Amino acid sequence: MNIIVCLKQVPDTAKVKMNPDGTLIRTGVPSILNPYDHFALAKALEIKKQIGAKIKVLSMGPDQAIKVLKFALALGADEGYLLCDKAFAGSD
């Protein structure tokens, strides 16, 4: 079995700021793994432990989003993929 878990690096919700155009201000705001995505990853890891599934994690964002993929790999995910392109700007 293969499991794909989508992960998103988000600004710390306690410190989120927005531009007037509705896009997020990331400068100076610490980024974290979306807590709900962390729950999904934990469930996938449970399934992997039970039946030997292979976990692939996927994230879309700027280069700094690689941190959430590395975190997932450290926890036991098998592969990680980052989708990064200027065309995605403002898609938050």
Side-chain angles (χ1 to χ4, degrees), residues 21-81:
D21 66 1
T23 57
L24 295 173
I25 299 172
R26 292 184 179 268
T27 306
V29 179
S31 295
I32 60 170
L33 173 59
N34 180 325
Y36 295 106
D37 297 346
H38 196 163
F39 297 147
L41 177 60
K43 190 61 167 176
L45 291 166
E46 285 178 28
I47 294 169
K48 177 181 179 176
K49 186 175 181 180
Q50 291 173 357
I51 64 171
K54 191 168 205 172
I55 300 172
K56 299 175 184 185
V57 290
L58 172 70
S59 187
M60 179 191 78
D63 289 337
Q64 72 183 22
I66 197 82
K67 291 178 185 178
V68 296
L69 297 175
K70 288 181 178 182
F71 177 71
L73 292 169
L75 290 178
D78 300 292
E79 297 177 27
Y81 300 92

Side-chain angles (χ1 to χ4, degrees), residues 11-17 29 32:
D12 187 335
T13 54
K15 300 176 183 179
V16 70
K17 297 177 185 177
V29 179
I32 60 170

